[in-house]
Amino acid sequence: MDIFNMLLQGFWVSVIPGNLLACIIGVIIGTLVGILPGIDTVSTIALLLPFSYGMDSTAALIMFAGIYYGSKYGGSTTSILINVPGEAASVVTCLDGYPMAQKGRAGAALSVSAIGSFVAGTIGIVGLTLLAPPLAKAALAFGPPEYFAISLVGLIFLSKLTGTSTLKSALMAAIGVMLSTVGLDSMSGISRFSFGIDELDRGFDLSILAMGIFGIGEILSTMTQINTATDIPLVKFKDLYPTREEWRRSIAPMFRGGVVGFLVGLLPGPAATISSYLSYALEKKCSKNPDEFGYGAIEGVAGPEAANNSAISATMIPLLSLGLPFCGATAILLSGFMIHGITPGPALITEQPALFWGLIASMYIGNVLLLIINLPLIGIFVQLLKTPLHILMPMVTVLTLTGAYSINNSMFDLIWVVIFGILGFLLRRTGFEPSPLLIGLVLGSGLERGLTQGLIICNGSIWAMITRPISATILSLGVIALFYNVVRWFTKINCAEKKVNC
């Protein structure tokens, strides 16, 4: 009841004209950030930090939060329409969203994506409202051995995400893990695989790799195709209605994605990206038509889009309740708190309840605003993408390169974006799906850090490390999944041999 009353007071704070206007501006900027490839959420908030000095602290933080969760709504638009993800969390949406657009179901994919984002976003915000303290404590119970187990099992689960062969996916994931080892070792400070190039000491940035492989790579693929001017489908309001069958297949993935995203969001790392991949793998396992994945399965849009939005709300739990940012975006949000003289943490709820609950309530309002922006007004945003390709693609290229440069203000990053873009283009041409490479890079650093720190905690004993209760439970799930896949593989081979012999 106390929570309800405090939340009610938060709504009074959030509907103050200045705060409500900040919420509207935040979600619109967030949607544009998500739609336009190459514009990163972190860099956008960082660029706007100086402009917030003159704002009321509550309004400024409401605006930054709106940009943060709003970007996840818009990220699916370009993924579905032109196969260029607005951000890393929307990469997996390309796998089935773009094929749906090619089949003339772009409106349904956009609609399911927006509604799934709203449903899961609401699930995440309700969880943030009710369960922040106990769930944050549960996340803190995880140590390095547990994160090592999660990363290892994650690679097992995520190595077969796409319609390509398991061997190709595993090879891409392995290359991603290898790339994650480039740069300064977090424990010893020793430079590894940098070949004397100082810029390589900070390793490969996830955003740079994603912009290159998925942004520039897709642009090169598009520009080398014949008659690509009609690739952006026309989306009318009536096209946004999914069919009854599409609704039936989407509802369960929306809720499953909301739960998956919320749980993953409690863990350190790029939760939105990881949760979207996990949700995709889960939906592929649960689907009665797994062969459709990669060719326009509606579940492959509904689940991941729901997951990445729910994860965003969950990542706010450790930030607001403990003052701990678990990803780059919440780290820059923490900077927003600090420059306004506010320290997130347990004292925030008691010392500044109006700000805390006003921020939470604004997320409910922003979630509704985003549903309005991304459904009835989707046509307006789609017009941004109706520009002819010979004009649009150079603009997207400039935006991508600008976004890449703004992350670290480094020309070296631009070179890597181009290199990764060419690599992404060649991978597509040779039948390799680059998504496992990205997830390998994401999980690789956590895998290594969890292993080295876990061995230190366990006095060098790998046995002590993997037999901790939580680690053992997680690793057991991985072994069961691996055993299941091996048995299934042998079963398929035996069935194929029997058919040949018959």
Side-chain angles (χ1 to χ4, degrees):
M1 189 64 183
D2 287 340
I3 291 178
F4 179 77
N5 288 332
M6 297 303 290
L7 182 62
L8 194 61
Q9 293 180 21
F11 274 105
W12 282 111
V13 173
S14 61
V15 295
I16 292 173
N19 294 339
L20 187 60
L21 180 63
C23 183
I24 294 171
I25 293 173
V27 296
I28 290 176
I29 293 176
T31 302
L32 291 173
V33 167
I35 286 177
L36 297 174
I39 304 298
D40 183 65
T41 307
V42 175
S43 57
T44 301
I45 296 176
L47 288 171
L48 290 175
L49 281 176
F51 299 98
S52 71
Y53 282 121
M55 297 176 64
D56 175 73
S57 57
T58 304
L61 294 173
I62 286 175
M63 183 183 74
F64 290 143
I67 295 172
Y68 179 38
Y69 59 79
S71 64
K72 297 299 174 287
Y73 270 76
S76 62
T77 303
T78 48
S79 297
I80 292 169
L81 295 181
I82 58 175
N83 203 25
V84 177
E87 55 178 24
S90 301
V91 168
V92 74
T93 307
C94 295
L95 299 178
D96 285 283
Y98 186 59
M100 284 188 68
Q102 291 179 310
K103 295 177 181 177
R105 300 304 299 158
L110 289 169
S111 180
V112 166
S113 170
I115 295 171
S117 299
F118 173 77
V119 170
T122 304
I123 292 173
I125 299 169
V126 170
L128 171 63
T129 306
L130 300 176
L131 305 174
L135 288 179
K137 286 182 181 177
L140 286 178
F142 283 68
E146 286 73 27
Y147 289 122
F148 165 75
I150 289 173
S151 300
L152 186 61
V153 173
L155 282 173
I156 294 172
F157 276 108
L158 300 174
S159 61
K160 187 172 172 52
L161 279 177
T162 65
T164 58
S165 72
T166 303
L167 186 61
K168 287 182 177 179
S169 295
L171 179 61
M172 288 290 97
I175 293 174
V177 173
M178 292 166 66
L179 289 177
S180 72
T181 63
V182 175
L184 289 177
D185 179 61
S186 59
M187 298 295 295
S188 64
I190 297 174
S191 180
R192 304 176 304 180
F193 308 114
S194 62
F195 305 102
I197 302 173
D198 294 339
E199 286 81 358
L200 280 179
D201 284 342
R202 52 186 167 87
F204 291 107
D205 191 287
L206 178 65
S207 301
I208 297 298
L209 188 140
M211 288 179 189
I213 286 187
F214 295 98
I216 301 297
E218 179 59 28
I219 291 169
L220 291 174
S221 298
T222 303
M223 298 306 289
T224 53
Q225 291 174 1
I226 301 174
N227 296 327
T228 54
T230 58
D231 280 350
I232 302 176
L234 178 65
V235 181
K236 298 180 181 177
F237 186 74
K238 63 179 182 181
D239 297 330
L240 294 174
Y241 290 101
T243 63
R244 182 174 296 180
E245 175 65 12
E246 287 170 338
W247 269 121
R248 186 189 65 76
R249 293 174 57 176
S250 301
I251 292 175
M254 287 179 188
F255 285 94
R256 278 196 294 264
V259 174
V260 168
F262 186 80
L263 296 176
V264 175
L266 296 174
L267 305 175
T273 304
I274 293 176
S275 65
S276 64
Y277 279 96
L278 276 174
S279 175
Y280 189 83
L282 176 63
E283 295 310 322
K284 193 173 181 180
K285 288 287 184 186
C286 295
S287 175
K288 295 179 181 177
N289 307 298
D291 294 338
E292 291 183 14
F293 277 71
Y295 301 97
I298 190 72
E299 299 94 329
V301 176
E305 280 302 313
N308 66 40
N309 278 273
S310 184
I312 291 301
S313 301
T315 59
M316 298 290 282
I317 291 176
L319 175 67
L320 294 177
S321 60
L322 300 170
L324 297 175
F326 275 7
C327 65
T330 50
I332 201 72
L333 279 177
L334 177 63
S335 302
F337 277 88
M338 300 301 286
I339 66 169
H340 285 275
I342 300 165
T343 303
L348 179 65
I349 302 175
T350 55
E351 294 178 0
Q352 302 200 52
L355 187 149
F356 177 83
W357 290 105
L359 183 59
I360 300 295
S362 76
M363 294 176 70
Y364 284 97
I365 296 173
N367 211 30
V368 175
L369 291 173
L370 284 165
L371 185 64
I372 296 171
I373 290 172
N374 283 272
L375 280 181
L377 303 182
I378 188 63
I380 297 174
F381 290 99
V382 169
Q383 293 304 316
L384 294 172
L385 304 174
K386 301 296 286 184
T387 313
L389 285 180
H390 67 277
I391 297 175
L392 176 64
M393 287 304 165
M395 289 174 62
V396 173
T397 304
V398 171
L399 287 172
T400 303
L401 295 177
T402 303
Y405 180 77
S406 66
I407 293 174
N408 296 307
N409 293 327
S410 170
M411 289 297 294
F412 200 73
D413 285 347
L414 293 183
I415 296 173
W416 278 117
V417 166
V418 174
I419 292 174
F420 282 128
I422 296 172
L423 176 64
F425 170 71
L426 294 176
L427 287 175
R428 285 180 175 84
R429 284 299 180 93
T430 51
F432 283 85
E433 175 55 49
S435 296
L437 189 151
L438 186 70
I439 203 66
L441 181 68
V442 171
L443 294 179
S445 57
L447 187 72
E448 182 189 12
R449 188 168 53 252
L451 178 62
T452 52
Q453 293 180 353
L455 286 173
I456 292 173
I457 292 173
C458 300
N459 296 319
S461 171
I462 189 71
W463 179 251
M465 186 174 151
I466 63 174
T467 52
R468 288 160 62 108
I470 299 176
S471 299
T473 303
I474 297 171
L475 290 171
S476 298
L477 292 174
V479 171
I480 292 171
L482 199 61
F483 181 73
Y484 170 77
N485 286 326
V486 171
V487 170
R488 193 179 177 190
W489 182 65
F490 275 112
T491 305
K492 281 186 177 180
I493 291 178
N494 287 333
C495 289
E497 288 179 350
K498 287 180 179 177
K499 286 182 180 178
V500 171
N501 294 331
C502 290

